[in-house]
Amino acid sequence: MAHGWAWANFTWFASAYDNDDDPYRLLTMVQIAGALTLAAGVPRAFESGDYLVITLGYVILRLAMLMQWLRAAGADPEGRTTALRYAVGYALVQAGWVARLAFDQPTYLYVGLAVAVGELLVPIWAERAQVTPFHPEHITERFGLFTMIVLGEAVLAATVAVQTAADSRDGTDVDLLVLAGSGLLLIFSLWWLYFDRTTQRMLRSMPTTIIWGYGHYLVFASTAAIGAGLAVAVDALIGHAHVTHLQQGLVVGIPLAAWIATVWWLRVGPPLRGPAVAASPVAAVLVLAAAWTSAAVPLMAVITAALAAVKTWAVRRTD
């Protein structure tokens, strides 16, 4: 999620101070280089627990963002205090990530958690001085685009799993086709729920905006987990993963229920009134209950599609 956090911070900065001059472009390229370095270190981190390359990439990425805020401090006298707070906060946090490399487990984990909390607190502390002049339409558009990317990755993960399963079997497998169709219906329903017209009035104050922005990390994480869960369900179907029906249901159902609840909290609940407000919490409970059935993924897909239909009907009726 480091990429997502850095991307969100850059989105907020770009919404307020995107002048697109040469230094801005060069620093953006440095950020991209840092992100690529971070990605290159992921295999080593998972295989041997070596986080040096990941940390280096993240520090490169964030120091470029620090320079952007220093430029904003020099160019915007009214917002200087806020910009300097961002710069100081990011500098301290990056020092924390580097210092973390000197510790062994379990201290390494505890220091990492503390620094991660520091990352989350920097924007809250900085914005208390003066709110940056962000544009709500720009923010919602960018977060929507990122959500679309993560949904696409979930589709890709499920598609690759189904393709691999199909290649390993002779002839047409009805169970595999049902699972593939259910996964597609599920992802399409998530797309429909997220992008329906219910968020125009969400970013009216900085506290609400911060909650909305931070809440999207649950959306991004649960979306990716749903894609991974669908891949596990496919592997279980062809015997490559030895898990029970309940475990298959839970690896999809838990992130799906979290997704439905989070999106309802961030986007659906506030604008709707009446019985339709309860549709998402009820659907989240039903999705978890479906994990105990032998046809968990198809049933979850039907529940999510029904939720999309109910929500669409409620929104259109209030338009």
Side-chain angles (χ1 to χ4, degrees), residues 64-111:
M65 194 71 255
L66 183 154
M67 296 302 298
Q68 295 279 33
W69 280 110
L70 288 177
R71 294 189 68 220
D76 180 17
E78 292 185 1
R80 180 169 296 156
T81 301
T82 298
L84 289 175
R85 284 190 178 190
Y86 271 109
V88 170
Y90 288 157
L92 293 174
V93 168
Q94 299 323 300
W97 287 121
V98 173
R100 178 179 180 235
L101 295 173
F103 296 99
D104 296 323
Q105 296 287 11
T107 306
Y108 182 87
L109 174 62
Y110 299 146
V111 173

Side-chain angles (χ1 to χ4, degrees), residues 32-252:
I32 294 173
L36 293 174
T37 304
L38 189 156
V42 171
R44 180 183 296 183
F46 277 96
E47 293 169 4
S48 60
D50 183 356
Y51 289 87
L52 177 61
V53 177
I54 281 184
T55 302
L56 176 63
Y58 191 65
V59 169
I60 292 172
L61 193 159
R62 300 301 273 161
L63 288 181
M65 194 71 255
L66 183 154
M67 296 302 298
Q68 295 279 33
W69 280 110
L70 288 177
R71 294 189 68 220
D76 180 17
E78 292 185 1
R80 180 169 296 156
T81 301
T82 298
L84 289 175
R85 284 190 178 190
Y86 271 109
V88 170
Y90 288 157
L92 293 174
V93 168
Q94 299 323 300
W97 287 121
V98 173
R100 178 179 180 235
L101 295 173
F103 296 99
D104 296 323
Q105 296 287 11
T107 306
Y108 182 87
L109 174 62
Y110 299 146
V111 173
L113 291 174
V115 177
V117 171
E119 287 267 16
L120 296 174
L121 292 177
V122 168
I124 298 174
W125 173 60
E127 295 291 341
R128 288 176 65 88
Q130 181 174 325
V131 175
T132 51
F134 70 92
H135 300 279
E137 296 83 3
H138 179 242
I139 296 296
T140 54
E141 177 193 21
R142 296 292 176 157
F143 272 74
L145 290 173
F146 198 86
T147 301
M148 180 74 77
I149 292 171
V150 181
L151 283 170
E153 291 177 346
V155 171
L156 178 61
T159 301
V160 170
V162 171
Q163 182 180 5
T164 302
D167 290 343
S168 67
R169 292 195 170 194
D170 296 326
T172 301
D173 190 308
V174 175
D175 291 336
L176 186 59
L177 290 176
V178 170
L179 183 56
S182 300
L184 198 59
L185 175 62
L186 177 57
I187 298 299
F188 284 172
S189 299
L190 297 182
W191 174 85
W192 190 284
L193 284 164
Y194 184 89
F195 288 101
D196 206 7
R197 300 173 295 171
T198 55
T199 60
Q200 296 89 339
R201 301 182 298 274
M202 292 299 297
L203 308 184
R204 292 176 293 185
S205 65
M206 181 49 64
T208 301
T209 299
I210 287 177
I211 292 172
W212 186 87
Y214 284 15
H216 268 76
Y217 290 101
L218 293 175
V219 177
F220 300 152
S222 57
T223 302
I226 290 168
L230 291 174
V232 169
V234 173
D235 286 343
L237 182 63
I238 62 176
H240 288 177
H242 301 289
V243 294
T244 65
H245 284 299
L246 176 58
Q247 290 169 332
Q248 294 176 45
L250 290 177
V251 295
V252 178

